[in-house]
Amino acid sequence: MTTLNLPAGAGKLAPYTLKQPKAFPAAKPPFSRVAYAAAHVVADTLADHDPWLTPAIDWDRTIAFRKHLWSLGFGVAEAMDTAQRGMGLDWKDALELVRRSLDAAKDVPGATVASGAGTDHLAPGPDVTIDKVIAAYEEQCGAIEKLGGRIILMASRALTAAAKSPDDYAKVYNRILSQVKQPVILHWLGEMFDPALTGYWGNGDHLKAMDTCLDVIRANAAKVDGIKISLLDKDKEILMRRKLPKGVRMYTGDDFNYAELIAGDSEGYSDALLGIFDAIAPAASAALGALTRGDEKTFHDLLAPTVPLSRHIFKTPTRFYKTGVVFMAYLNGHQDHFVMVGGQQSTRSAQHLAELFRLADAAGLLSDPDRAASRMKAVLATHGIAA
């Protein structure tokens, strides 16, 4: 097997020998859980542009990755934070991404897409009013619905800045939900993913914020398919899950405890809308297939080795998790380079990437060890490290 030298702390390198990848059994959807993978975008490295200022996307490779996810039985959660929404991907390109994904899905039997609508074209500022936030949400929801898309109603930085109380959140969400054409997925993105969303729903206490959110859902239950919460706290998710109106789904966004939450308990379970599914798609698909067959032991056996990898990818500062997701796609041949929109490949250290490599190998998720080792060496070389 292939051996290479990896950063091992204290400024030293240590030899690491790769294992054989796992052969994950092909899944046979539909699954017993609704499962969306929030998908990343592939940067266009041949574009002549200012990388920090202007997005350049390789549309062909980006859509090819969505076809990969659909082939494994996942729905695609499009133009979300995993696609660097608000961290390199602007609204104009997000809408083009949604359009291209919806078009591609038409050619894939059973393919589903739900797309992020937010207010990111409205910069937070002292002149931003609640009515302007409503208008911004209306613009994005209308544009996605015009394409025939389903909506994931994303959290709004502008609303966080403009709101004076929980009532302002209720006003915005009640207005938007009264207008949407079909039920949406709400997204409560925690401050660990985006510090600008601290105090969302009008309260820094998550439990009090949850009460406001639940009031909105109960008042608009017919327009809410479910809610994805990304707080990285399984107890808060379970608490909220048990309080949801009948028929409203909890979509786990917990990239630390997803296996336990998806499996559920005697009182219910969470469906899934996860960024980590982008990185661990073959293992997650096989695990969901096992759960659908009633084989919970195999479900946990398949997912357990992926949890240390996910916790590493999503470690603090959590908002930089996209770097690990794209690195996994590069190691596994879904793109030919490790360059990200906005230059975000620079947000994690060589030490971090080396540990990610070891954990991915331990989980059996490096589909071609020789290719992965060659690409790891190339990335280390850019850091001046001879592997």
Side-chain angles (χ1 to χ4, degrees):
M1 292 299 295
T2 301
T3 298
L4 71 166
N5 292 315
L6 295 177
K12 297 181 180 180
L13 300 178
Y16 181 82
T17 301
L18 283 90
K19 303 171 180 63
Q20 289 287 350
K22 290 183 181 178
F24 296 103
K28 295 181 180 179
F31 300 130
S32 58
R33 306 291 190 265
V34 179
Y36 284 98
H40 75 282
V41 293
V42 182
D44 181 359
T45 57
L46 293 177
D48 182 10
H49 68 121
D50 297 308
W52 282 19
L53 304 177
T54 308
I57 299 171
D58 183 335
W59 295 113
D60 291 341
R61 296 306 289 267
T62 293
I63 296 303
F65 190 77
R66 278 125 183 90
K67 292 180 179 179
H68 163 68
L69 293 173
W70 287 324
S71 75
L72 293 171
F74 294 105
V76 167
E78 193 54 277
M80 300 288 290
D81 48 298
T82 303
Q84 296 181 242
R85 190 76 176 271
M87 287 186 68
L89 186 73
D90 58 19
W91 164 235
K92 176 180 72 68
D93 284 298
L95 184 60
E96 178 64 10
L97 178 59
V98 170
R99 184 188 70 78
R100 288 174 181 260
S101 289
L102 289 171
D103 285 348
K106 295 174 184 176
D107 298 326
V108 181
T112 58
V113 181
S115 303
T119 68
D120 46 318
H121 62 294
L122 176 65
D127 61 332
V128 173
T129 64
I130 294 301
D131 286 340
K132 287 183 178 180
V133 173
I134 290 172
Y137 266 129
E138 289 174 336
E139 179 180 339
Q140 292 201 14
C141 288
I144 292 171
E145 288 184 333
K146 187 176 180 180
L147 294 173
R150 291 190 56 205
I151 289 170
I152 301 171
L153 203 60
M154 300 173 67
S156 166
R157 292 174 178 171
L159 176 55
T160 309
K164 299 295 189 290
S165 71
D167 290 343
D168 286 332
Y169 286 85
K171 177 181 178 180
V172 171
Y173 278 87
N174 288 337
R175 178 78 66 82
I176 300 304
L177 291 172
S178 73
Q179 297 174 358
V180 292
K181 293 180 179 179
Q182 55 183 320
V184 308
I185 299 173
L186 301 180
H187 186 195
W188 180 3
L189 188 67
E191 60 274 13
M192 62 289 298
F193 287 89
D194 186 346
L197 298 175
T198 300
Y200 210 73
W201 300 109
N203 205 302
D205 181 328
H206 286 161
L207 297 183
K208 293 179 180 178
M210 186 184 297
D211 288 338
T212 300
C213 181
L214 284 166
D215 286 344
V216 167
I217 292 172
R218 291 175 184 130
N220 300 276
K223 292 294 188 74
V224 180
D225 167 63
I227 179 167
K228 165 185 163 70
I229 66 169
S230 302
L231 300 178
L232 302 182
D233 186 321
K234 66 178 181 179
D235 293 329
K236 290 175 183 175
E237 178 174 320
I238 292 170
L239 175 65
M240 188 172 189
R241 185 173 76 194
R242 291 174 177 170
K243 293 183 176 182
L244 289 173
K246 185 176 181 180
V248 176
R249 299 178 182 274
M250 170 59 73
Y251 288 93
T252 185
D254 189 332
D255 299 279
F256 286 1
N257 304 290
Y258 46 93
E260 176 184 347
L261 291 163
I262 293 169
D265 54 33
S266 60
E267 296 186 46
Y269 59 82
S270 296
D271 293 290
L273 198 165
L274 288 163
I276 194 57
F277 278 178
D278 182 300
I280 67 166
S285 175
L288 288 165
L291 188 63
T292 299
R293 297 191 303 271
D295 186 352
E296 189 168 330
K297 180 181 183 303
T298 297
F299 168 81
H300 285 293
D301 287 347
L302 287 167
L303 284 187
T306 73
V307 173
L309 171 64
S310 185
R311 293 189 175 200
H312 181 71
I313 288 174
F314 284 81
K315 72 182 295 185
T316 304
T318 302
R319 63 187 182 278
F320 296 140
Y321 78 88
K322 297 92 168 174
T323 302
V325 168
V326 173
F327 190 54
M328 282 291 294
Y330 170 61
L331 293 175
N332 281 322
H334 294 292
Q335 54 195 78
D336 297 327
H337 58 77
F338 179 44
V339 174
M340 296 174 65
V341 171
Q344 290 287 313
Q345 71 275 4
S346 66
T347 65
R348 296 296 200 186
S349 67
Q351 179 72 37
H352 178 93
L353 297 177
E355 181 63 10
L356 186 157
F357 184 90
R358 285 186 285 259
L359 291 170
D361 183 55
L365 283 165
L366 298 179
S367 57
D368 182 333
D370 289 338
R371 176 183 59 203
S374 175
R375 293 185 169 199
M376 184 77 234
K377 289 179 181 180
V379 170
L380 290 176
T382 67
H383 290 77
I385 300 170

